[in-house]
Amino acid sequence: TQLLEQSPQFLSIQEGENLTVYCNSSSVFSSLQWYRQEPGEGPVLLVTVVTGGEVKKLKRLTFQFGDARKDSSLHITAAQPGDTGLYLCAGAEGAQKLVFGQGTRLTINP
Amino acid sequence: DTGVSQNPRHKITKRGQNVTFRCDPISEHNRLYWYRQTLGQGPEFLTYFQNEAQLEKSRLLSDRFSAERPKGSFSTLEIQRTEQGDSAMYLCASSLGTVNKAFFGQGTRLTVV
């Protein structure tokens, strides 16, 4: 089974700051997904990246897939308290299952 | 379309009891997945259906666990003789064709006491 490592595991910053979360693997993935999860809820899909080097933007969130399709990053600009949550990256292993990282718990303080 | 729906949202059961969870996927989605998430961890794959066929099962799915999707629509996950280690969030997801656009339900939180 392929493994995904996320860093940092915990991040607490002030409102208005920028941050980057990393998702790394020694394996190549055909695609990589980022999810956000609130306490007691299921993960919500934010983005899927498929092509090496691909960059996608979702308002203040920028997602990048590494050239070798082994890693990804999530950058948040001017973080807001509403961005607080657990951010999960997941790689597609074959055609039928996702392998998840352990998550980055992000807290944005007002 | 209201997304993936899971019931119940919460279940507290005594050790040794059997429990069953239900998942209703997004209506046109042919693929359905079950995952388990323990505190502080990312979700772990349990099993996967394409229509009514169960095509893959994780080694995490012991013989006490069984999943069905009898008509290729809703699915059930049953745990027999529950153990305290079964306490977790059980997540269901569905997708149309490709796993990289899977949508998750709200999950069922199981507590075994």
Side-chain angles (χ1 to χ4, degrees):
Chain A
T1 300
Q2 299 164 296
L3 295 176
L4 281 166
E5 296 282 339
Q6 287 188 242
S7 61
Q9 288 192 44
F10 300 93
L11 183 58
S12 180
I13 63 171
Q14 293 300 120
E15 181 177 1
E17 294 183 356
N18 302 334
L19 67 108
T20 302
V21 174
Y22 299 93
C23 175
N24 295 297
S25 175
S26 58
S27 304
V28 175
F29 288 96
S30 57
S31 67
L32 201 136
Q33 285 68 241
W34 283 93
Y35 289 83
R36 183 176 138 190
Q37 188 176 25
E38 304 285 350
E41 300 292 329
V44 174
L45 180 64
L46 297 175
V47 78
T48 297
V49 285
V50 177
T51 307
E54 183 176 4
V55 177
K56 282 193 173 179
K57 292 192 175 185
L58 189 66
K59 297 184 181 178
R60 293 175 295 100
L61 278 60
T62 301
F63 305 86
Q64 185 162 7
F65 201 11
D67 291 341
R69 290 186 291 132
K70 293 183 178 181
D71 55 84
S72 181
S73 63
L74 158 60
H75 182 78
I76 301 179
T77 303
Q80 299 177 359
D83 296 328
T84 292
L86 180 68
Y87 288 82
L88 293 159
C89 67
E93 185 174 281
Q96 52 219 35
K97 69 181 177 187
L98 296 175
V99 174
F100 282 85
Q102 76 274 45
T104 293
R105 188 160 299 282
L106 176 63
T107 303
I108 309 301
N109 303 300
Chain B
D1 188 352
T2 57
V4 179
S5 177
Q6 292 188 245
N7 288 288
R9 292 291 310 274
H10 304 276
K11 178 71 177 178
I12 300 175
T13 191
K14 292 184 178 179
R15 191 173 49 187
Q17 298 293 305
N18 299 342
V19 293
T20 300
F21 310 140
R22 177 178 169 125
C23 171
D24 287 273
I26 294 172
S27 58
E28 68 270 23
H29 284 185
N30 60 339
R31 294 188 176 189
L32 187 146
Y33 315 83
W34 285 98
Y35 284 78
R36 182 174 70 184
Q37 185 177 26
T38 53
L39 210 58
Q41 300 297 318
E44 294 175 292
F45 172 80
L46 291 179
T47 190
Y48 148 71
F49 290 86
Q50 181 157 312
N51 300 313
E52 67 276 9
Q54 188 175 18
L55 297 184
E56 186 170 345
K57 294 197 301 185
S58 163
R59 56 183 168 79
L60 293 174
L61 214 65
S62 76
D63 56 5
R64 297 185 296 107
F65 288 70
S66 61
E68 295 182 343
R69 194 183 183 197
K71 297 181 180 179
S73 56
F74 73 91
S75 175
T76 57
L77 177 68
E78 181 184 15
I79 308 175
Q80 296 182 326
R81 306 181 302 280
T82 52
E83 301 172 356
Q84 285 190 316
D86 297 331
S87 295
M89 173 80 92
Y90 289 85
L91 294 163
C92 174
S94 70
S95 69
L96 180 61
T98 176
V99 72
N100 65 11
K101 287 190 178 359
F103 293 89
F104 281 81
Q106 316 98 309
T108 294
R109 166 75 63 190
L110 173 67
T111 302
V112 181
V113 298

